[in-house]
Amino acid sequence: MTGRDTVPPPLTESRNPATHDLDELSVPELVDRMADQDRQALQAVRAAREDIAHLITMGVDVLRSGGRIHYFGAGSSGRLGVLDAAEVIPTFGVGPQVFVAHLAGGPAAMTAAVEEVEDDADAGTLDAIEVTGADLAIGLSASGVTPYVGGALRRARATGAATALVSANPSAPLAADADLHIALATGPEAITGSTRMKAGTAQKLVLTTFSTAVMVRLGRTYSNLMVSLTAVNDKLRRRSVRLLCEAAAVDADTAGRALAAAGGDTRVALVGLLADLPADRARHLLARHEGSVKAVLRSVVNPVPES
């Protein structure tokens, strides 16, 4: 028996007394029972509010200082990290180097189960080799015991990087390898051990909340509008025009002309419309104010001499 075998199983591996009769329920009853369980995912996220807010502040500080955010995970948890990192790019107009996802087993593990790689701590260490002391490394492990994630967190921490763990195990052993532990107390799954269910849902909620809030704090939205997208196809151009009509109270023709003058950059077009500035001036001011439309507008109202 190994030392790992003597560790008590995480709560995510416990049997759920509320679903013992799952295979005897009607289809509508199955839906109701699983929905009842899923409510616990949202409750767990709300209960972790302060820790999630702390993680957001860590992320903002890292990106403002020129660092990167890394996700490390295996299986369902790792796939959620890949999904979030991929979706940040078109939603907020950032490059692929800002949020970097590392999945145990590599790209092939996105569509096929490669279960054994999660036990390889050395693989996690190797995947974290690109983490620097300026970065934030976030481990994703529902059980809180995944060796791959542990290897990555220990390597990241050794470089001086900030580290965090998102798990569904309040007693996660890997918490010792992280500066911050977001413990999502989702409890036993409807299907014992199937953490792609409410544990996964809770992790997804944390990730989308984290990345979205970080981008909001960095000025990548205007109000609740997705202004950082670049209109590179017809669908996005139509979306940008609608957004500009809403934000600047102009008609579609005016919005379209502003967008064209801005080279498809929605923020440049919006600043131009709201502040009555040519596109090149709007672009210059956005660069000066870290891309924040509201910061530019405040500077136009209360100008500060340029150095």
Side-chain angles (χ1 to χ4, degrees):
M1 179 177 291
T2 67
R4 190 179 174 193
D5 294 327
T6 64
V7 176
L11 191 59
T12 54
E13 298 291 332
S14 301
R15 194 173 178 192
N16 192 330
T19 58
H20 280 196
D21 60 346
L22 208 61
D23 58 349
E24 298 175 1
L25 300 177
S26 68
V27 173
E29 288 171 334
L30 274 169
V31 173
D32 287 343
R33 192 68 61 85
M34 286 190 280
D36 288 341
Q37 290 295 305
D38 283 341
R39 286 193 190 96
Q40 296 175 23
L42 180 56
Q43 292 167 353
V45 172
R46 286 189 179 278
R49 171 180 177 270
E50 295 301 323
D51 287 334
I52 297 169
H54 186 186
L55 182 64
I56 291 165
T57 299
M58 291 168 68
V60 170
D61 290 345
V62 160
L63 294 187
R64 277 187 173 149
S65 299
R68 297 178 295 171
I69 293 169
H70 298 262
Y71 295 145
F72 293 93
S76 297
S77 296
R79 294 183 191 106
L80 290 171
V82 173
L83 180 64
D84 193 67
E87 291 182 343
V88 166
I89 298 170
T91 304
F92 297 108
V94 299
Q97 75 283 356
V98 178
F99 285 77
V100 184
H102 306 267
L103 174 62
M110 273 300 293
T111 56
V114 191
E115 303 292 353
E116 67 277 5
V117 294
E118 72 175 59
D119 292 332
D120 192 344
D122 290 340
T125 301
L126 184 62
D127 282 355
I129 201 74
E130 65 183 83
V131 178
T132 74
D135 297 341
L136 167 62
I138 302 175
L140 306 171
S141 170
S143 66
V145 300
T146 310
Y148 170 86
V149 173
L153 287 177
R154 288 188 291 273
R155 172 64 178 79
R157 190 178 236 186
T159 69
T163 55
L165 173 70
V166 182
S167 86
N169 180 6
S171 301
L174 291 183
D177 299 316
D179 301 320
L180 174 67
H181 179 206
I182 297 177
L184 304 167
T186 53
E189 295 288 355
I191 300 291
T192 306
S194 183
T195 52
R196 71 184 183 88
M197 302 183 78
K198 62 184 175 182
T201 297
Q203 284 186 311
K204 174 71 164 63
L205 290 170
V206 169
L207 289 174
T208 53
T209 298
F210 166 72
S211 58
T212 301
V214 167
M215 292 290 98
V216 170
R217 296 296 291 175
L218 291 174
R220 307 298 292 192
T221 62
Y222 176 76
S223 180
N224 62 349
L225 298 174
M226 192 168 42
V227 295
S228 295
L229 64 88
T230 298
V232 294
N233 60 35
D234 287 340
K235 180 187 79 172
L236 293 178
R237 275 188 287 272
R238 289 192 296 271
R239 180 182 294 170
S240 291
V241 166
R242 289 194 301 271
L243 184 155
L244 291 170
C245 291
E246 175 75 22
V250 297
D251 60 38
D253 288 341
T254 301
R257 288 193 296 272
L259 189 64
D265 189 317
T266 309
R267 282 184 297 173
V268 170
L270 181 58
V271 167
L273 288 168
L274 292 175
D276 192 22
L277 294 171
D280 57 350
R281 181 61 179 164
R283 185 174 287 106
H284 169 76
L285 288 173
L286 280 165
R288 188 179 178 207
H289 293 279
E290 299 181 324
S292 171
V293 172
K294 285 195 173 177
V296 171
L297 297 178
R298 285 192 293 268
S299 78
V300 172
V301 173
N302 298 295
V304 176
E306 296 188 25
S307 57

